[in-house]
Amino acid sequence: MENKKNFKRLLIGPLFLFLSLHGFTQTDSLITRVKISSNLIISYNSSLIYPGIRIGIEIPVYSVNLTKNANAGRKKSIIKDRFISVNSGWYHHPGFHDNLFFTAEWTMRRTYKNRLYNDYSLGTGYSRTFLGGTTYHADNNGTVNIIKSAGYNYALIIAGAGFGFDFSKHRGIPLSMFFKFDILTMFPYNSTVYFRPIMEFGLIFRF
């Protein structure tokens, strides 16, 4: 009998604590699901001073609107979005190579009440470079041939951070403008790893 009482106390104590904390958090914050659409990304993709372009599609995973009580009775609203994006990019490095790459990325975006937002992304993909200029190959017989579309294949990892402004949540225009800085890591590159910084300035269209 005494064991049953002790067992009930063990159950009731944590349950009471959970309900108390749950009740307080409900009054301090409100979380609601938000339905969002897929996005089309078009950006000027510059590897420092070398021009390029990136085109991609963001597929929404989920979106929540988090509302919290702030000071002086004001409410603070933050929208948290999660996307899976599929992208293709290219840049031209004169005299060195052209790089065509494809990535799949996980993007975490946070939009504030003033519609400014920041985001972070991490992904992996494939890179194909095309060497600049004409490439020749000489065989054992001394015959020299021109190699067309000479270049290399690489695996890659891309990580980035950026910020922007979402016009769709403020003026009803299905458009966002953003700036982003990425690090492109390609391997194996001459038995090592090659890092390439990339700056982006572009637009996101909702559809």
Side-chain angles (χ1 to χ4, degrees), residues 48-67:
L48 296 181
I49 60 174
Y50 308 115
I53 191 171
R54 182 169 78 107
I55 299 175
I57 294 177
E58 290 183 333
I59 303 170
V61 177
Y62 73 87
S63 178
V64 295
N65 190 340
L66 177 62
T67 303

Side-chain angles (χ1 to χ4, degrees), residues 132-200:
T134 305
T135 303
Y136 300 90
H137 177 263
D139 60 22
N140 295 331
N141 298 321
T143 303
V144 178
N145 297 305
I146 296 176
I147 301 178
K148 296 181 179 180
S149 302
Y152 301 96
N153 301 300
Y154 302 99
L156 67 83
I157 295 174
I158 186 169
F163 61 90
F165 186 85
D166 189 349
F167 294 96
S168 68
K169 293 181 172 61
H170 182 64
R171 300 181 182 179
I173 304 173
L175 179 70
S176 298
M177 184 179 296
F178 73 92
F179 173 82
K180 193 173 183 181
F181 180 78
D182 299 301
I183 294 291
L184 195 67
T185 305
M186 299 159 53
F187 58 92
Y189 190 90
N190 293 331
S191 300
T192 183
V193 177
Y194 178 71
F195 297 97
R196 170 73 72 161
I198 294 177
M199 292 180 291
E200 289 187 76

Side-chain angles (χ1 to χ4, degrees), residues 7-61:
F7 181 71
K8 288 181 179 179
R9 290 171 184 171
L10 289 174
L11 287 178
I12 293 173
L15 181 61
F16 177 77
L17 179 61
F18 170 78
L19 291 175
S20 299
L21 292 175
H22 183 69
F24 283 121
T25 54
Q26 286 295 99
T27 57
D28 291 339
S29 63
L30 177 64
I31 300 175
T32 56
R33 290 275 181 174
V34 180
K35 185 177 180 180
I36 55 176
S37 61
S38 298
N39 301 325
L40 174 66
I41 305 171
I42 300 177
S43 67
Y44 173 76
N45 183 348
S46 173
S47 178
L48 296 181
I49 60 174
Y50 308 115
I53 191 171
R54 182 169 78 107
I55 299 175
I57 294 177
E58 290 183 333
I59 303 170
V61 177

